[in-house]
Amino acid sequence: MAEVLTDLGIKDILAQFSIEQVNNGASTGGHWFNTRGEKIDSVSPVDGSVIASVNSATEADYEAVVLKAQEAFKVWRNVPAPKRGEVVRQLAEKLREYKQPLGELVSYEMGKSLQEGLGEVQEMIDICDFAVGLSRQLHGLTMHSERPGHRMYEQYHPLGVVGIISAFNFPVAVWNWNTALAWVCGDVCVWKPSEKAPLTAIACQQITKEVFDANDVPEGVSGLVIGGADLGILMSNDKRVPLVSATGSTRMGKAVSAAVGARLGKSLLELGGNNAIIITPSADLNIVVPGAVFGAVGTCGQRCTSTRRLIVHEDVYDKVVSAVAGAYPQLKIGNPLDENNHVGPLIDQDAVNAYLSSLEQAKEQGANIIVEGGVLTGEGYESGCYVKPAIVEAKNEMAIVQHETFAPILYIMKYSGGVENAVKMQNDVPQGLSSAIMTNSIKESEAFLAASGSDCGIANVNIGTSGAEIGGAFGGEKETGGGRESGSDAWKVYMRRQTNTINYTDSLPLAQGIKFDLG
């Protein structure tokens, strides 16, 4: 491992997860491979330090992990689901034990605020708790047969190896959204995390190993391969992986979907968002301001559910713009491990460049800058990844507004007439993840939630676009990919469905009254 170049106590955190002893990027849960792939430096956007380095997994390492996963599946699928749930329950307890150090590592490696880092670990705990209950409810249906003396029902069986491709912005929670459900369903998992956040992945693997070893879980139920897009391509084209769950950009998702679809596999896609809050004349500003500001600047605008657009009625436009813009000078930008700060850094210099390019394009396309952006320099901002959240007055049809920029840029625009005009503007983008309306009119809220209303997978009333609970299915439509993770009946995607008909008579009547007499 490279030397830790920080005085933030990160050495102690790495030691808790024995990360300093791991210099490779592949694991079957039982042991770490001596990988010899390209070296990946984990660079903290907080201060620009190289936290540690990892040798990425090779194709041979990937092959070994998948083979071990296949072996483990033959055993794990036959463990009773409630017993699999008990293992996940113990994982939740272990995550409670490690919540503080894991949350701090998330914050330092990815750059989100400490509160958000701790919140992400809490999401892991919550989905484990959800999955424990689910382990006793993996139910099918019974139905009446048209043939006498027959019983008919359907049941669900595990799929096998589930591939997980996760993004940097939620480096641990999205992995656990998938694994907690997949494991209680009887599947095994192989995870390719973002190469921008390898250390949090190693920490999760180490925590999981503690629990799995104590319960004699077969080696291979939790596999890990760290590396670049080449590993994602291998996984997407691998017929031994019946389901690939991929979180990331729409461009990446289209590539994964095409590869998985070509082999008639299943893909669960959670892709880009271009989320809007509609603000009507009756909206309560005490709700509008914190909802819009947190949605726009939380995680430095790097959530798929971040608020990108405010669609404000002309009657309250000036008042809303003044209130939201007036809140921005109160934002404290800096080290995310300092709980006094609201906004941390962007993930890396590429993200900063995309942010600056988007602001320049907005100006070129005729937008008006209400709150100026820019890169922060000086003491505390040495990494070059700290930027000022910006507010831009724009039109919905502008090319830059139609595009998702993973940065704290909020586009604000005006609508007139009824709420149906605002809904049309909201829906008139390629993405369809999260949406919200701020209103005290039941007619407006119901119109927003109707079939002719929001076309997004998530539609909220009087809360923002960001901050989903695990009890509901999470995902979106259109270029967001159509996948659903987390709560509700999202578990069904991790299983194969089987219809069973049992004849308990001495005759063989055929369906639909067909006669087949052999004489």
Side-chain angles (χ1 to χ4, degrees):
M1 279 292 185
E3 183 184 357
V4 178
L5 304 175
T6 177
D7 59 358
L8 297 176
I10 202 70
K11 281 187 176 181
D12 292 337
I13 292 173
L14 297 183
Q16 287 190 58
F17 301 119
S18 301
I19 291 178
E20 74 280 0
Q21 300 172 19
V22 176
N23 64 354
N24 50 68
S27 169
T28 57
H31 74 281
W32 288 91
F33 290 73
N34 185 23
T35 54
R36 292 182 171 84
E38 181 181 351
K39 188 179 78 167
I40 296 173
D41 290 334
S42 174
V43 180
S44 172
V46 174
D47 56 15
S49 295
V50 175
I51 313 171
S53 300
V54 177
N55 292 327
S56 62
T58 63
E59 183 173 349
D61 299 322
Y62 169 83
E63 180 70 18
V65 171
V66 172
L67 286 174
K68 184 59 71 173
Q70 286 184 295
E71 292 176 18
F73 175 60
K74 295 174 184 177
V75 178
W76 186 243
R77 65 185 174 185
N78 291 320
V79 175
K83 292 188 180 298
R84 298 192 296 252
E86 168 59 18
V87 174
V88 173
R89 185 196 68 79
Q90 292 180 36
L91 178 60
E93 291 304 305
K94 190 63 69 173
L95 287 168
R96 288 180 171 93
E97 180 183 331
Y98 283 117
K99 180 176 178 179
Q100 187 69 30
L102 183 56
E104 290 180 12
L105 182 58
V106 168
S107 179
Y108 186 59
E109 185 174 40
M110 183 268 150
K112 64 175 58 177
S113 74
L114 179 56
Q115 282 301 308
E116 291 181 82
L118 294 172
E120 184 168 347
V121 182
Q122 186 62 48
E123 279 195 70
M124 301 172 76
I125 295 166
D126 292 344
I127 194 64
C128 285
D129 288 348
F130 178 87
V132 173
L134 184 65
S135 69
R136 294 181 181 271
Q137 302 179 67
L138 300 173
H139 49 74
L141 297 172
T142 60
M143 58 282 292
H144 291 283
S145 172
E146 67 184 55
R147 290 169 281 187
H150 284 60
R151 182 166 72 89
M152 190 160 58
Y153 68 95
E154 65 180 22
Q155 60 181 330
Y156 289 85
H157 294 303
L159 282 172
V161 181
V162 173
I164 302 168
I165 302 172
S166 63
F168 73 86
N169 59 332
F170 279 84
V172 295
V174 170
W175 165 74
N176 209 196
W177 278 10
N178 285 275
T179 54
L181 299 190
W183 286 332
V184 298
C185 288
D187 296 314
V188 299
C189 299
V190 175
W191 180 23
K192 193 210 87 65
S194 169
E195 60 271 35
K196 297 180 181 181
L199 304 185
T200 48
I202 294 172
C204 288
Q205 188 75 341
Q206 300 286 64
I207 293 169
T208 302
K209 184 180 186 302
E210 282 190 50
V211 176
F212 281 18
D213 285 354
N215 288 273
D216 296 322
V217 173
E219 181 183 347
V221 172
S222 178
L224 174 68
V225 286
I226 295 173
D230 57 321
L231 294 177
I233 293 170
L234 282 174
M235 185 180 287
S236 299
N237 287 282
D238 193 341
K239 292 182 179 180
R240 299 168 298 178
V241 183
L243 171 65
V244 176
S245 175
T247 302
S249 69
T250 297
R251 177 188 57 79
M252 179 275 288
K254 288 180 177 179
V256 169
S257 179
V260 176
R263 59 179 174 85
L264 298 181
K266 298 170 67 175
S267 56
L268 194 171
L269 303 175
E270 298 292 355
L271 311 176
N274 197 344
N275 317 296
I277 300 177
I278 295 170
I279 301 173
T280 71
S282 66
D284 183 347
L285 277 183
N286 291 324
I287 295 177
V288 168
V289 174
V293 175
F294 175 74
V297 309
T299 322
C300 202
Q302 296 172 114
R303 291 185 175 212
C304 52
T305 55
S306 290
T307 304
R308 309 290 177 199
R309 297 174 294 148
L310 286 189
I311 303 172
V312 187
H313 194 274
E314 59 182 0
D315 289 353
V316 292
Y317 184 80
D318 291 341
K319 181 168 63 174
V320 169
V321 170
S322 177
V324 174
Y328 270 51
Q330 302 173 47
L331 294 173
K332 296 177 181 177
I333 307 167
N335 188 325
L337 290 167
D338 181 346
E339 296 190 59
N340 292 314
N341 291 326
H342 301 103
V343 184
L346 289 170
I347 185 65
D348 56 22
Q349 197 58 51
D350 287 342
V352 173
N353 293 339
Y355 158 85
L356 293 173
S357 174
S358 294
L359 287 175
E360 192 59 36
Q361 290 178 60
K363 293 175 185 177
E364 292 171 357
Q365 293 168 25
N368 175 44
I369 306 299
I370 296 175
V371 174
E372 289 283 349
V375 180
L376 293 168
T377 58
E379 185 178 355
Y381 304 126
E382 290 85 357
S383 70
C385 295
Y386 292 88
V387 301
K388 293 185 284 187
I391 299 178
V392 179
E393 187 177 45
K395 296 186 181 299
N396 200 54
E397 60 271 18
M398 289 178 175
I400 192 59
V401 177
Q402 294 283 311
H403 171 76
E404 180 194 36
T405 301
F406 237 45
I409 301 174
L410 179 64
Y411 299 105
I412 190 165
M413 57 203 69
K414 188 183 299 184
Y415 82 95
S416 58
V419 72
E420 66 277 2
N421 295 331
V423 171
K424 184 176 184 302
M425 289 174 65
Q426 179 213 276
N427 293 345
D428 194 20
V429 293
Q431 309 84 358
L433 179 52
S434 187
S435 58
I437 188 171
M438 300 291 188
T439 180
N440 281 325
S441 165
I442 191 170
K443 290 182 178 179
E444 289 178 333
S445 65
E446 289 298 324
F448 176 72
L449 300 173
S452 56
S454 170
D455 65 0
C456 296
I458 300 168
N460 298 327
V461 177
N462 288 332
I463 59 172
T465 61
S466 193
E469 298 180 33
I470 60 92
F474 179 89
E477 302 301 324
K478 302 189 294 188
E479 288 194 359
T480 302
R484 291 297 185 275
E485 291 176 314
S486 192
S488 186
D489 65 349
W491 62 271
K492 292 181 179 179
V493 76
Y494 302 94
M495 306 195 85
R496 58 182 177 87
R497 190 172 185 167
Q498 185 182 79
T499 300
N500 309 113
T501 307
I502 301 169
N503 176 6
Y504 55 89
T505 73
D506 296 326
S507 61
L508 186 65
L510 301 178
Q512 293 83 48
I514 294 173
K515 301 296 182 182
F516 188 73
D517 190 354
L518 293 176

